[in-house]
mmCIF file of all heavy atoms in Angstrom:
data_model
loop_
_atom_site.group_PDB
_atom_site.id
_atom_site.type_symbol
_atom_site.label_atom_id
_atom_site.label_comp_id
_atom_site.label_asym_id
_atom_site.label_seq_id
_atom_site.Cartn_x
_atom_site.Cartn_y
_atom_site.Cartn_z
ATOM 1 N N ALA A 1183 -17.436 37.113 -16.643
ATOM 2 C CA ALA A 1183 -17.011 38.495 -16.610
ATOM 3 C C ALA A 1183 -16.635 39.033 -17.905
ATOM 4 O O ALA A 1183 -17.012 40.201 -18.333
ATOM 5 C CB ALA A 1183 -15.788 38.714 -15.542
ATOM 6 N N GLU A 1184 -15.994 38.209 -18.795
ATOM 7 C CA GLU A 1184 -15.649 38.547 -20.140
ATOM 8 C C GLU A 1184 -16.938 38.945 -20.917
ATOM 9 O O GLU A 1184 -16.885 39.802 -21.787
ATOM 10 C CB GLU A 1184 -14.922 37.532 -20.799
ATOM 11 C CG GLU A 1184 -14.296 37.785 -22.168
ATOM 12 C CD GLU A 1184 -13.266 38.670 -22.199
ATOM 13 O OE1 GLU A 1184 -12.662 38.950 -21.139
ATOM 14 O OE2 GLU A 1184 -12.940 39.366 -23.313
ATOM 15 N N ARG A 1185 -17.994 38.206 -20.639
ATOM 16 C CA ARG A 1185 -19.285 38.396 -21.403
ATOM 17 C C ARG A 1185 -19.998 39.543 -20.870
ATOM 18 O O ARG A 1185 -21.193 39.832 -21.307
ATOM 19 C CB ARG A 1185 -20.128 37.221 -21.382
ATOM 20 C CG ARG A 1185 -19.318 36.017 -22.059
ATOM 21 C CD ARG A 1185 -20.203 34.784 -21.801
ATOM 22 N NE ARG A 1185 -19.487 33.514 -22.408
ATOM 23 C CZ ARG A 1185 -19.989 32.312 -22.480
ATOM 24 N NH1 ARG A 1185 -21.214 32.077 -21.978
ATOM 25 N NH2 ARG A 1185 -19.392 31.232 -22.992
ATOM 26 N N GLY A 1186 -19.583 40.256 -19.932
ATOM 27 C CA GLY A 1186 -20.205 41.304 -19.275
ATOM 28 C C GLY A 1186 -21.352 40.971 -18.263
ATOM 29 O O GLY A 1186 -22.137 41.837 -17.895
ATOM 30 N N ARG A 1187 -21.313 39.761 -17.875
ATOM 31 C CA ARG A 1187 -22.399 39.294 -16.857
ATOM 32 C C ARG A 1187 -21.876 39.406 -15.501
ATOM 33 O O ARG A 1187 -20.649 39.272 -15.234
ATOM 34 C CB ARG A 1187 -22.859 37.850 -17.284
ATOM 35 C CG ARG A 1187 -23.436 37.704 -18.569
ATOM 36 C CD ARG A 1187 -23.752 36.299 -18.936
ATOM 37 N NE ARG A 1187 -24.469 35.478 -17.936
ATOM 38 C CZ ARG A 1187 -24.737 34.205 -18.070
ATOM 39 N NH1 ARG A 1187 -24.298 33.542 -19.101
ATOM 40 N NH2 ARG A 1187 -25.404 33.602 -17.163
ATOM 41 N N ARG A 1188 -22.730 39.503 -14.623
ATOM 42 C CA ARG A 1188 -22.322 39.750 -13.125
ATOM 43 C C ARG A 1188 -21.712 38.540 -12.738
ATOM 44 O O ARG A 1188 -22.196 37.391 -12.901
ATOM 45 C CB ARG A 1188 -23.657 40.077 -12.329
ATOM 46 C CG ARG A 1188 -23.313 40.242 -10.830
ATOM 47 C CD ARG A 1188 -24.511 40.890 -10.203
ATOM 48 N NE ARG A 1188 -25.686 39.924 -10.313
ATOM 49 C CZ ARG A 1188 -25.989 39.028 -9.453
ATOM 50 N NH1 ARG A 1188 -25.102 38.673 -8.504
ATOM 51 N NH2 ARG A 1188 -27.013 38.150 -9.619
ATOM 52 N N ARG A 1189 -20.709 38.539 -11.953
ATOM 53 C CA ARG A 1189 -20.030 37.298 -11.444
ATOM 54 C C ARG A 1189 -20.966 36.631 -10.443
ATOM 55 O O ARG A 1189 -21.685 37.148 -9.613
ATOM 56 C CB ARG A 1189 -18.648 37.652 -10.656
ATOM 57 C CG ARG A 1189 -17.645 38.264 -11.606
ATOM 58 C CD ARG A 1189 -16.489 38.876 -10.713
ATOM 59 N NE ARG A 1189 -15.804 37.788 -10.157
ATOM 60 C CZ ARG A 1189 -14.761 37.117 -10.581
ATOM 61 N NH1 ARG A 1189 -14.414 37.353 -11.803
ATOM 62 N NH2 ARG A 1189 -14.137 36.162 -9.853
ATOM 63 N N GLN A 1190 -20.944 35.349 -10.639
ATOM 64 C CA GLN A 1190 -21.873 34.485 -9.753
ATOM 65 C C GLN A 1190 -20.988 33.209 -9.357
ATOM 66 O O GLN A 1190 -20.127 32.772 -10.068
ATOM 67 C CB GLN A 1190 -23.148 34.145 -10.480
ATOM 68 C CG GLN A 1190 -22.938 33.400 -11.724
ATOM 69 C CD GLN A 1190 -24.147 33.085 -12.469
ATOM 70 O OE1 GLN A 1190 -25.106 33.959 -12.373
ATOM 71 N NE2 GLN A 1190 -24.264 32.063 -13.167
ATOM 72 N N SER A 1191 -21.364 32.687 -8.243
ATOM 73 C CA SER A 1191 -20.731 31.579 -7.823
ATOM 74 C C SER A 1191 -21.277 30.190 -8.495
ATOM 75 O O SER A 1191 -22.322 29.932 -8.366
ATOM 76 C CB SER A 1191 -20.874 31.385 -6.250
ATOM 77 O OG SER A 1191 -20.387 30.313 -5.726
ATOM 78 N N VAL A 1192 -20.475 29.640 -9.296
ATOM 79 C CA VAL A 1192 -20.780 28.502 -10.047
ATOM 80 C C VAL A 1192 -20.325 27.269 -9.367
ATOM 81 O O VAL A 1192 -19.048 27.109 -9.033
ATOM 82 C CB VAL A 1192 -20.385 28.503 -11.450
ATOM 83 C CG1 VAL A 1192 -20.571 27.225 -12.228
ATOM 84 C CG2 VAL A 1192 -20.769 29.694 -12.226
ATOM 85 N N LYS A 1193 -21.111 26.333 -8.857
ATOM 86 C CA LYS A 1193 -20.714 25.296 -8.040
ATOM 87 C C LYS A 1193 -21.071 23.932 -8.733
ATOM 88 O O LYS A 1193 -22.032 23.944 -9.686
ATOM 89 C CB LYS A 1193 -21.399 25.215 -6.683
ATOM 90 C CG LYS A 1193 -20.988 26.527 -5.784
ATOM 91 C CD LYS A 1193 -21.752 26.535 -4.503
ATOM 92 C CE LYS A 1193 -21.205 27.655 -3.548
ATOM 93 N NZ LYS A 1193 -21.909 27.582 -2.226
ATOM 94 N N LEU A 1194 -20.204 22.929 -8.460
ATOM 95 C CA LEU A 1194 -20.547 21.549 -9.002
ATOM 96 C C LEU A 1194 -20.916 20.701 -7.705
ATOM 97 O O LEU A 1194 -19.889 20.260 -7.065
ATOM 98 C CB LEU A 1194 -19.324 21.080 -9.701
ATOM 99 C CG LEU A 1194 -18.887 21.767 -10.986
ATOM 100 C CD1 LEU A 1194 -17.608 21.110 -11.498
ATOM 101 C CD2 LEU A 1194 -20.022 21.651 -12.087
ATOM 102 N N PRO A 1195 -22.139 20.674 -7.257
ATOM 103 C CA PRO A 1195 -22.413 20.070 -6.023
ATOM 104 C C PRO A 1195 -22.155 18.575 -6.103
ATOM 105 O O PRO A 1195 -22.088 18.006 -4.910
ATOM 106 C CB PRO A 1195 -23.967 20.401 -5.848
ATOM 107 C CG PRO A 1195 -24.461 20.616 -7.235
ATOM 108 C CD PRO A 1195 -23.290 21.273 -7.875
ATOM 109 N N TRP A 1196 -22.152 17.980 -7.197
ATOM 110 C CA TRP A 1196 -22.012 16.469 -7.237
ATOM 111 C C TRP A 1196 -20.449 16.203 -7.749
ATOM 112 O O TRP A 1196 -20.270 15.317 -8.523
ATOM 113 C CB TRP A 1196 -22.983 15.996 -8.152
ATOM 114 C CG TRP A 1196 -24.392 15.840 -7.501
ATOM 115 C CD1 TRP A 1196 -25.423 16.706 -7.609
ATOM 116 C CD2 TRP A 1196 -24.744 14.763 -6.598
ATOM 117 N NE1 TRP A 1196 -26.447 16.396 -6.868
ATOM 118 C CE2 TRP A 1196 -26.006 15.169 -6.156
ATOM 119 C CE3 TRP A 1196 -24.290 13.674 -6.028
ATOM 120 C CZ2 TRP A 1196 -26.924 14.446 -5.291
ATOM 121 C CZ3 TRP A 1196 -25.064 12.875 -5.182
ATOM 122 C CH2 TRP A 1196 -26.302 13.258 -4.844
ATOM 123 N N ALA A 1197 -19.589 16.824 -7.077
ATOM 124 C CA ALA A 1197 -18.169 16.448 -7.356
ATOM 125 C C ALA A 1197 -17.515 15.773 -6.156
ATOM 126 O O ALA A 1197 -17.699 16.353 -5.026
ATOM 127 C CB ALA A 1197 -17.296 17.801 -7.757
ATOM 128 N N GLY A 1198 -16.864 14.674 -6.346
ATOM 129 C CA GLY A 1198 -16.302 13.973 -5.100
ATOM 130 C C GLY A 1198 -15.794 12.712 -5.511
ATOM 131 O O GLY A 1198 -15.840 12.314 -6.731
ATOM 132 N N THR A 1199 -15.173 11.978 -4.521
ATOM 133 C CA THR A 1199 -14.640 10.570 -4.776
ATOM 134 C C THR A 1199 -15.691 9.611 -5.063
ATOM 135 O O THR A 1199 -16.916 9.915 -4.685
ATOM 136 C CB THR A 1199 -13.798 10.092 -3.732
ATOM 137 O OG1 THR A 1199 -14.617 9.931 -2.422
ATOM 138 C CG2 THR A 1199 -12.608 11.097 -3.242
ATOM 139 N N PHE A 1200 -15.488 8.396 -5.549
ATOM 140 C CA PHE A 1200 -16.542 7.501 -5.669
ATOM 141 C C PHE A 1200 -17.129 7.093 -4.347
ATOM 142 O O PHE A 1200 -18.352 6.994 -4.357
ATOM 143 C CB PHE A 1200 -15.806 6.172 -6.328
ATOM 144 C CG PHE A 1200 -15.735 6.190 -7.801
ATOM 145 C CD1 PHE A 1200 -14.631 6.701 -8.424
ATOM 146 C CD2 PHE A 1200 -16.769 5.598 -8.608
ATOM 147 C CE1 PHE A 1200 -14.603 6.560 -9.945
ATOM 148 C CE2 PHE A 1200 -16.824 5.511 -9.976
ATOM 149 C CZ PHE A 1200 -15.625 6.037 -10.601
ATOM 150 N N HIS A 1201 -16.311 6.964 -3.272
ATOM 151 C CA HIS A 1201 -16.846 6.515 -2.048
ATOM 152 C C HIS A 1201 -17.758 7.775 -1.558
ATOM 153 O O HIS A 1201 -18.725 7.442 -0.888
ATOM 154 C CB HIS A 1201 -15.627 6.335 -1.220
ATOM 155 C CG HIS A 1201 -14.931 5.077 -1.438
ATOM 156 N ND1 HIS A 1201 -13.827 5.078 -2.352
ATOM 157 C CD2 HIS A 1201 -15.057 3.794 -1.126
ATOM 158 C CE1 HIS A 1201 -13.408 3.875 -2.619
ATOM 159 N NE2 HIS A 1201 -14.127 3.076 -1.787
ATOM 160 N N ALA A 1202 -17.275 9.050 -1.609
ATOM 161 C CA ALA A 1202 -18.059 10.135 -1.013
ATOM 162 C C ALA A 1202 -19.502 10.192 -1.720
ATOM 163 O O ALA A 1202 -20.410 10.380 -1.027
ATOM 164 C CB ALA A 1202 -17.281 11.285 -1.198
ATOM 165 N N ILE A 1203 -19.434 10.103 -3.097
ATOM 166 C CA ILE A 1203 -20.723 10.174 -3.779
ATOM 167 C C ILE A 1203 -21.539 9.013 -3.421
ATOM 168 O O ILE A 1203 -22.742 9.194 -3.293
ATOM 169 C CB ILE A 1203 -20.382 10.333 -5.290
ATOM 170 C CG1 ILE A 1203 -19.656 11.508 -5.669
ATOM 171 C CG2 ILE A 1203 -21.806 10.268 -6.068
ATOM 172 C CD1 ILE A 1203 -20.397 12.943 -5.247
ATOM 173 N N GLY A 1204 -20.977 7.810 -3.410
ATOM 174 C CA GLY A 1204 -21.735 6.683 -2.921
ATOM 175 C C GLY A 1204 -22.433 6.775 -1.649
ATOM 176 O O GLY A 1204 -23.602 6.398 -1.485
ATOM 177 N N ALA A 1205 -21.561 7.352 -0.596
ATOM 178 C CA ALA A 1205 -22.211 7.571 0.672
ATOM 179 C C ALA A 1205 -23.450 8.454 0.672
ATOM 180 O O ALA A 1205 -24.394 8.182 1.306
ATOM 181 C CB ALA A 1205 -21.147 7.982 1.663
ATOM 182 N N ARG A 1206 -23.318 9.464 -0.117
ATOM 183 C CA ARG A 1206 -24.298 10.454 -0.209
ATOM 184 C C ARG A 1206 -25.520 9.939 -0.845
ATOM 185 O O ARG A 1206 -26.652 10.088 -0.183
ATOM 186 C CB ARG A 1206 -23.840 11.617 -1.064
ATOM 187 C CG ARG A 1206 -24.785 12.834 -1.126
ATOM 188 C CD ARG A 1206 -24.045 13.961 -1.850
ATOM 189 N NE ARG A 1206 -25.047 15.017 -2.282
ATOM 190 C CZ ARG A 1206 -24.813 16.102 -2.865
ATOM 191 N NH1 ARG A 1206 -23.483 16.324 -3.429
ATOM 192 N NH2 ARG A 1206 -25.637 17.030 -3.219
ATOM 193 N N LEU A 1207 -25.459 9.194 -1.855
ATOM 194 C CA LEU A 1207 -26.563 8.576 -2.521
ATOM 195 C C LEU A 1207 -27.243 7.567 -1.805
ATOM 196 O O LEU A 1207 -28.425 7.411 -1.585
ATOM 197 C CB LEU A 1207 -26.193 7.945 -3.885
ATOM 198 C CG LEU A 1207 -25.890 9.010 -5.105
ATOM 199 C CD1 LEU A 1207 -25.224 8.234 -6.201
ATOM 200 C CD2 LEU A 1207 -27.169 9.661 -5.496
ATOM 201 N N LEU A 1208 -26.373 6.735 -1.037
ATOM 202 C CA LEU A 1208 -27.064 5.697 -0.116
ATOM 203 C C LEU A 1208 -27.806 6.164 1.031
ATOM 204 O O LEU A 1208 -28.851 5.637 1.388
ATOM 205 C CB LEU A 1208 -25.930 4.820 0.321
ATOM 206 C CG LEU A 1208 -25.237 3.908 -0.636
ATOM 207 C CD1 LEU A 1208 -24.028 3.134 -0.098
ATOM 208 C CD2 LEU A 1208 -26.247 2.878 -1.267
ATOM 209 N N ARG A 1209 -27.343 7.386 1.532
ATOM 210 C CA ARG A 1209 -28.030 8.100 2.544
ATOM 211 C C ARG A 1209 -29.417 8.608 2.039
ATOM 212 O O ARG A 1209 -30.391 8.449 2.728
ATOM 213 C CB ARG A 1209 -27.266 9.140 3.249
ATOM 214 C CG ARG A 1209 -26.118 8.657 4.138
ATOM 215 C CD ARG A 1209 -25.665 9.858 4.956
ATOM 216 N NE ARG A 1209 -24.332 9.497 5.636
ATOM 217 C CZ ARG A 1209 -24.243 8.602 6.685
ATOM 218 N NH1 ARG A 1209 -25.282 8.086 7.082
ATOM 219 N NH2 ARG A 1209 -22.991 8.432 7.167
ATOM 220 N N GLU A 1210 -29.370 9.133 0.932
ATOM 221 C CA GLU A 1210 -30.547 9.691 0.311
ATOM 222 C C GLU A 1210 -31.618 8.651 -0.027
ATOM 223 O O GLU A 1210 -32.860 8.876 0.217
ATOM 224 C CB GLU A 1210 -30.173 10.521 -0.978
ATOM 225 C CG GLU A 1210 -31.379 11.305 -1.616
ATOM 226 C CD GLU A 1210 -30.870 12.205 -2.705
ATOM 227 O OE1 GLU A 1210 -29.761 12.583 -2.731
ATOM 228 O OE2 GLU A 1210 -31.757 12.411 -3.595
ATOM 229 N N TYR A 1211 -31.225 7.493 -0.414
ATOM 230 C CA TYR A 1211 -32.050 6.424 -0.934
ATOM 231 C C TYR A 1211 -32.235 5.445 0.187
ATOM 232 O O TYR A 1211 -33.043 4.279 -0.037
ATOM 233 C CB TYR A 1211 -31.516 5.753 -2.278
ATOM 234 C CG TYR A 1211 -31.828 6.558 -3.406
ATOM 235 C CD1 TYR A 1211 -31.030 7.658 -3.817
ATOM 236 C CD2 TYR A 1211 -32.962 6.429 -4.210
ATOM 237 C CE1 TYR A 1211 -31.213 8.446 -4.841
ATOM 238 C CE2 TYR A 1211 -33.184 7.217 -5.409
ATOM 239 C CZ TYR A 1211 -32.245 8.261 -5.688
ATOM 240 O OH TYR A 1211 -32.541 8.877 -6.777
ATOM 241 N N ALA A 1212 -31.710 5.610 1.421
ATOM 242 C CA ALA A 1212 -31.708 4.568 2.302
ATOM 243 C C ALA A 1212 -33.079 3.888 2.709
ATOM 244 O O ALA A 1212 -33.256 2.824 2.893
ATOM 245 C CB ALA A 1212 -30.939 5.201 3.740
ATOM 246 N N PRO A 1213 -34.093 4.903 2.803
ATOM 247 C CA PRO A 1213 -35.393 4.291 3.217
ATOM 248 C C PRO A 1213 -35.956 3.299 2.187
ATOM 249 O O PRO A 1213 -36.790 2.378 2.487
ATOM 250 C CB PRO A 1213 -36.320 5.513 3.309
ATOM 251 C CG PRO A 1213 -35.437 6.564 3.504
ATOM 252 C CD PRO A 1213 -34.162 6.406 2.805
ATOM 253 N N ARG A 1214 -35.521 3.331 0.858
ATOM 254 C CA ARG A 1214 -35.991 2.534 -0.106
ATOM 255 C C ARG A 1214 -34.922 1.300 -0.212
ATOM 256 O O ARG A 1214 -35.272 0.506 -1.183
ATOM 257 C CB ARG A 1214 -36.036 3.290 -1.420
ATOM 258 C CG ARG A 1214 -37.057 4.369 -1.314
ATOM 259 C CD ARG A 1214 -37.041 5.297 -2.523
ATOM 260 N NE ARG A 1214 -37.245 4.702 -3.790
ATOM 261 C CZ ARG A 1214 -37.068 5.360 -4.981
ATOM 262 N NH1 ARG A 1214 -36.818 6.642 -5.030
ATOM 263 N NH2 ARG A 1214 -37.311 4.728 -6.172
ATOM 264 N N LEU A 1215 -33.902 1.239 0.467
ATOM 265 C CA LEU A 1215 -32.798 0.273 0.304
ATOM 266 C C LEU A 1215 -32.731 -0.578 1.561
ATOM 267 O O LEU A 1215 -31.959 -1.508 1.538
ATOM 268 C CB LEU A 1215 -31.532 0.855 -0.018
ATOM 269 C CG LEU A 1215 -31.448 1.857 -1.277
ATOM 270 C CD1 LEU A 1215 -30.071 2.475 -1.303
ATOM 271 C CD2 LEU A 1215 -31.801 1.052 -2.503
ATOM 272 N N GLY A 1216 -33.617 -0.424 2.426
ATOM 273 C CA GLY A 1216 -33.559 -1.184 3.642
ATOM 274 C C GLY A 1216 -32.332 -0.752 4.636
ATOM 275 O O GLY A 1216 -31.972 -1.574 5.384
ATOM 276 N N LEU A 1217 -31.853 0.390 4.420
ATOM 277 C CA LEU A 1217 -30.731 0.896 5.150
ATOM 278 C C LEU A 1217 -31.233 1.925 6.237
ATOM 279 O O LEU A 1217 -32.148 2.714 5.963
ATOM 280 C CB LEU A 1217 -29.741 1.551 4.310
ATOM 281 C CG LEU A 1217 -28.924 0.617 3.384
ATOM 282 C CD1 LEU A 1217 -28.013 1.638 2.513
ATOM 283 C CD2 LEU A 1217 -28.131 -0.379 4.100
ATOM 284 N N GLU A 1218 -30.580 2.024 7.435
ATOM 285 C CA GLU A 1218 -30.779 3.153 8.380
ATOM 286 C C GLU A 1218 -30.197 4.413 7.681
ATOM 287 O O GLU A 1218 -29.084 4.520 7.325
ATOM 288 C CB GLU A 1218 -30.004 2.879 9.579
ATOM 289 C CG GLU A 1218 -30.643 1.738 10.364
ATOM 290 C CD GLU A 1218 -31.896 2.103 11.071
ATOM 291 O OE1 GLU A 1218 -32.273 3.246 11.265
ATOM 292 O OE2 GLU A 1218 -32.465 1.160 11.681
ATOM 293 N N PRO A 1219 -30.971 5.444 7.511
ATOM 294 C CA PRO A 1219 -30.512 6.662 6.952
ATOM 295 C C PRO A 1219 -29.274 7.316 7.688
ATOM 296 O O PRO A 1219 -28.427 7.881 7.106
ATOM 297 C CB PRO A 1219 -31.686 7.626 6.991
ATOM 298 C CG PRO A 1219 -32.909 6.792 7.032
ATOM 299 C CD PRO A 1219 -32.436 5.576 7.772
#
């Protein structure tokens, strides 16, 4: 806003606890890891 740009929603989609991020990555890579997605 200070720079005169339109306000926009800036998100950090990969912010979380070690355990939460770990669960997310394991689900995403599950087929390649021998895990049930």
Side-chain angles (χ1 to χ4, degrees):
E1184 182 72 20
R1185 298 175 185 180
R1187 294 171 56 182
R1188 182 169 59 86
R1189 294 172 66 87
Q1190 59 187 31
S1191 178
V1192 177
K1193 297 182 178 180
L1194 296 174
W1196 286 94
T1199 65
F1200 273 92
H1201 293 86
I1203 298 298
R1206 183 175 169 185
L1207 286 170
L1208 290 173
R1209 287 199 192 280
E1210 186 174 334
Y1211 284 83
R1214 299 166 60 184
L1215 304 175
L1217 294 176
E1218 292 280 350

